[in-house]
Amino acid sequence: MTDRPTAPDLRPPHPAPDATPDLSSRDPDWWRQAVVYQIYPRSFADADGDGLGDLRGITRRLTHLSALGVDALWLSPFYPSELADGGYDVADPRDVDPRLGTLDDFDALVREAHRLGLKVIVDIVPNHTSHQHVWFQEALRAGPGSPARDRYVFRDGRGESGELPPTDWQSVFGGSAWQRVPDGQWYLHLFAAEQPDLNWDHPDVREDFRTTLRFWSDRGVDGFRVDVAHALTKDLEEPLRDLGDHAAGGEAALADFAPGTHPFYDRDEVHEIYRDWRKIFDTYTPPRTAVAEAWVPGARRALYARPDELGQAFNFEYLEAAWDADELRQVITDSLATAQAAGASATWVLSNHDVVRHATRLMLPPGTDTNAWLLSGGSAPAVDAEAGLRRARPATLLMLALPGSAYVYQGEELGLPEVADLPTEVLQDPIWEQTGRVRKGRDGCRVPLPWTSTGPSYGFGANGAWLPQPPSFAAYAVEAQDGVEGSTLELYRTALRLRRKLLDGETLRWAEDAPEGVLQFDRGDGWRCVTNLSAEPVPLPAGEVVLTSASLKDGHLPPDTTVWLTR
C-alpha cells in the first residue's frame, strides 16, 4: 500500500488560548454562550489529495480552531452519500463516507478535538434518507402495500391511471414534491427526489433514530445539529390536502394556518419526538446538546428550544436582518425574549453553508434578488469586496458581543466573500438542475478554503479542489493573514480571546441615548459594545477601547465600525 499524498501542514504557531471553558461534567451548560465553528467537511481540508475534503484533513487542521479560540466544531454531514444534496442525502447515518474516511478516522478526530478542548457537534438528518438507503431500496423491491413502504410516504397517484401526483405539494428545491416509481406509486420528497421523506408515525423510524443518537453519543459526540427539525411529522390522513397557492410551504405559508396545523411543517406532534430524544441526551454526562434548524416564526421556534426538547434553535431572523440599526435592535430584542421564554440561550449566525456569505451579502442593496444576482455572476450589482469586508468585520464583533451562542461558518474568519461567478458547468448543488437551471444554488459559499497563498488548491490539498477557487483567495489564505496585525483572522482571534474574559450573564442593557443609526449596549458590569451603522462618524462613549473593527478617528467611531469598551 502506498502512502496517500498530504497537504502541507500549516499549523498556526499560536498556542491554544488560555482560560479554556470547562468542558467536563462540571459545566453541563457549556453550550449556552459557546462559539461554534461550522465545518463543511468536503470544503475544509483534503488530506488524501483527491480534491474532496475529508476527516483526516479536518483533524490535521484542528489546531487552527484551537488557536482561533472557538469552543466547539459542528460537522456538516460526513455520512455515505451520493451528494445529491451536498451530503444531506444520507445512505447510512451510522457510518462515514469512504471518500471522507472511516469510523476510525472519526474517532481520531474526536479524540484530537477533545485533547484541544473542543467539543464536537454532528449533523443529524431525520426528515429523509437517501434513496440509496437500505430501507428505501427494500421498499422499492417490496412493492405497493408492503410494510417496507410504510417507513416512507408512498401514495397512489391521481388521474385515470394514477399519472398525476397525489397532491400539489412542491419541493423546496423546485418542482413537485412527489416522484413516481416504476410500479406506478409516488413517494414524497420535500427536498431532492433522491431524498425520500420518512414516515415518523412508524415505530421503526423512531427506534432507528434513537439508535443513531446513542451510536454517535457513545463515540464521544457532544451534541447534534438537527436538520429541518420542523418537518418530521406530517398529516397523512386521507384524503391528503392540496394547498393551492401555499403548496411550497415555508414560513410565509405557515402564517395562513393555525399554529401547528400545516400538513407537513411545524406540526405540534413533532415535539413529542424531541422530548423523547431529550431523555436519551440526558442519560449522558454531561448531557448531549442539540440545536434545531427550524425555519419557523420566533414564538414557534421557542418550542424547539425548551429544556425538555432540543435546548436551542437557530435564529434566522438575525441572519436575514438588513444592516440597519432599528431593524437589528428589534431582532436582537425579540430574539433574546424568545430564548428567555424557552429557558434557552439565544443563537446568532451571519453565514452558513446555505446562504450568501455575509462579507458579500451585507453590501447588496436592500431587496436584492440574490438568485438574480448569482445568475449575473455577481455583476448586477457589482460588490466591492473591500467595502464588504469593512462591513462584515463590525457585524462580527456585534454578533460576538451578544448574549448567547455564536455560530461561525468556516472561512468567515478569513473574510471570504461569496464566489458568485462559478461557471455553470461546475455547479454541484441540485437546485440548479431541479429548478430547470433558473436558481443557481449554494455552491458559492462552499468553495474550499485557502490555507496557503500558493499551490494548486491554495493548501486545501495536494492537488485541485472539487469546486474551483478564484485567484483572489490567495490574499485571504490563513498563511497570508497569520500574525498580520489588523487582518481579519487576527481580529477573530483577538475577539474570541477577549470574549471569554468579558462574558458576564446572558442579558444586555440598551443605551437609550445612543445617536441615530447607532447600536449601543452593555453586558454585565464592564463590557460595552457600540456599532455605528449610520453614514457619519459619532463620538465615542466613555470607556477604555479594547477592540475595534477599524481604526478610530479623533475620538470618533467611523461608519460601519464596531468598538468594544470596558468601563
Side-chain angles (χ1 to χ4, degrees):
M1 178 181 295
T2 57
D3 291 337
R4 292 185 284 185
T6 60
D9 186 9
L10 184 68
R11 302 192 181 199
H14 303 272
D18 55 6
T20 300
D22 179 8
L23 299 181
S24 72
S25 59
R26 294 190 301 275
D27 185 13
D29 293 333
W30 64 268
W31 50 273
R32 293 190 68 92
Q33 296 206 71
V35 177
V36 181
Y37 185 100
Q38 181 191 357
I39 290 177
Y40 189 73
R42 291 162 176 82
S43 296
F44 189 70
D46 171 22
D48 63 10
D50 66 355
L52 200 65
D54 47 45
L55 297 186
R56 291 175 62 219
I58 294 169
T59 302
R60 290 177 177 175
R61 299 292 190 184
L62 287 179
T63 49
H64 172 70
L65 303 191
S66 63
L68 192 61
V70 300
D71 302 299
L73 59 129
W74 150 31
L75 295 172
S76 289
F78 50 86
Y79 315 111
S81 170
E82 65 176 338
L83 304 183
D85 182 22
Y88 284 87
D89 48 313
V90 178
D92 184 346
R94 297 190 288 275
D95 203 354
V96 174
D97 191 307
R99 292 166 293 182
L100 274 65
T102 65
L103 283 171
D104 286 342
D105 292 330
F106 178 83
D107 294 340
L109 187 160
V110 172
R111 285 194 301 272
E112 177 66 2
H114 287 168
R115 186 187 72 81
L116 293 169
L118 299 166
K119 290 283 193 179
V120 178
I121 296 169
V122 299
D123 239 306
I124 187 169
V125 186
N127 179 68
H128 47 260
T129 70
S130 165
H131 66 157
Q132 296 180 336
H133 192 286
V134 292
W135 277 359
F136 193 73
Q137 291 300 307
E138 179 187 359
L140 292 181
R141 292 191 302 270
S146 64
R149 289 207 172 178
D150 288 343
R151 297 185 184 120
Y152 293 90
V153 184
F154 278 87
R155 290 292 185 275
D156 293 329
R158 298 184 293 190
E160 287 187 14
S161 56
E163 72 278 6
L164 300 176
T167 68
D168 62 1
W169 300 351
Q170 297 292 295
S171 162
V172 173
F173 291 163
S176 174
W178 297 94
Q179 180 73 25
R180 201 176 193 190
V181 299
D183 58 39
Q185 279 204 311
W186 299 73
Y187 67 85
L188 178 67
H189 61 91
L190 293 182
F191 293 86
E194 296 87 351
Q195 296 169 289
D197 278 45
L198 288 162
N199 173 17
W200 272 87
D201 289 336
H202 199 294
D204 286 358
V205 174
R206 298 196 178 211
E207 185 56 37
D208 194 69
F209 271 86
R210 294 185 190 106
T211 300
T212 296
L213 295 173
R214 294 187 186 101
F215 178 87
W216 294 111
S217 296
D218 290 345
R219 300 191 91 92
V221 161
D222 303 287
F224 300 89
R225 179 261 191 187
V226 184
D227 184 61
V228 198
H230 59 299
L232 277 59
T233 57
K234 300 169 177 68
D235 179 7
L236 299 177
E237 290 190 12
E238 299 290 350
L240 299 181
R241 292 181 273 169
D242 277 340
L243 295 179
D245 293 339
H246 310 304
E251 187 172 328
L254 285 173
D256 296 315
F257 291 82
T261 66
H262 188 280
F264 50 84
Y265 280 151
D266 190 37
R267 293 187 60 78
D268 287 337
E269 297 89 343
V270 78
H271 298 290
E272 176 191 348
I273 296 169
Y274 299 133
R275 284 191 288 271
D276 180 59
W277 288 12
R278 173 49 57 188
K279 294 175 184 175
I280 295 173
F281 297 153
D282 287 350
T283 63
Y284 291 88
T285 304
R288 284 3 185 188
T289 65
V291 58
E293 182 206 26
W295 290 87
V296 297
R300 294 291 296 181
R301 187 177 68 242
L303 303 180
Y304 297 82
R306 290 178 291 192
D308 66 339
E309 293 193 29
L310 296 177
Q312 227 176 30
F314 281 128
N315 169 15
F316 294 113
E317 286 94 336
Y318 184 73
L319 182 151
E320 294 174 334
W323 187 243
D324 174 83
D326 291 338
E327 182 174 348
L328 280 169
R329 175 166 173 165
Q330 190 63 55
V331 166
I332 291 167
T333 299
D334 292 346
S335 299
L336 289 171
T338 296
Q340 184 178 23
S345 61
T347 63
W348 314 103
V349 60
L350 287 166
S351 286
N352 62 36
H353 65 292
D354 283 333
V355 299
V356 172
R357 285 186 176 273
H358 71 274
T360 299
R361 188 183 70 249
L362 291 175
M363 288 305 298
L364 293 173
T368 297
D369 181 334
T370 55
N371 180 60
W373 177 78
L374 288 169
L375 289 172
S376 77
S379 63
V383 174
D384 183 329
E386 291 187 7
L389 188 54
R390 285 197 300 270
R391 185 166 285 182
R393 288 162 58 101
T396 294
L397 291 193
L398 170 62
M399 176 183 75
L400 292 176
L402 293 170
S405 297
Y407 287 78
V408 175
Y409 180 51
Q410 64 177 43
E412 71 173 76
E413 78 277 18
L414 307 178
L416 289 184
E418 184 80 1
V419 183
D421 58 353
L422 286 171
T424 56
E425 62 268 20
V426 305
L427 298 180
Q428 304 288 321
D429 193 331
I431 289 177
W432 174 241
E433 294 293 345
Q434 193 157 332
T435 60
R437 300 189 174 190
V438 298
R439 286 171 55 195
K440 196 169 184 181
R442 303 157 293 178
D443 290 310
C445 64
R446 300 176 179 183
V447 175
L449 298 191
W451 295 91
T452 61
S453 300
T454 58
S457 61
Y458 301 109
F460 169 68
N463 297 302
W466 67 281
L467 282 172
Q469 302 152 298
S472 61
F473 267 31
Y476 293 97
V478 174
E479 180 183 61
Q481 300 192 49
D482 182 37
V484 177
E485 185 177 357
S487 71
T488 302
L489 176 58
E490 293 300 338
L491 177 71
Y492 270 74
R493 287 171 172 168
T494 302
L496 292 176
R497 184 179 69 250
L498 290 171
R499 184 180 186 274
R500 292 170 181 261
K501 298 177 179 178
L502 296 172
L503 282 179
D504 184 8
E506 294 185 17
T507 61
L508 59 75
R509 297 185 304 280
W510 292 107
E512 300 303 335
D513 59 349
E516 185 176 355
V518 173
L519 288 176
Q520 179 178 328
F521 59 84
D522 290 347
R523 293 281 309 275
D525 294 327
W527 184 9
R528 174 168 291 169
C529 177
V530 188
T531 302
N532 183 6
L533 297 94
S534 74
E536 301 294 333
V538 296
L540 277 179
E544 178 183 352
V545 174
V546 295
L547 186 63
T548 65
S549 63
S551 299
L552 306 180
K553 298 180 180 178
D554 301 322
H556 283 68
L557 188 66
D560 289 347
T561 307
T562 293
V563 62
W564 289 359
L565 307 107
T566 54
R567 296 180 291 119

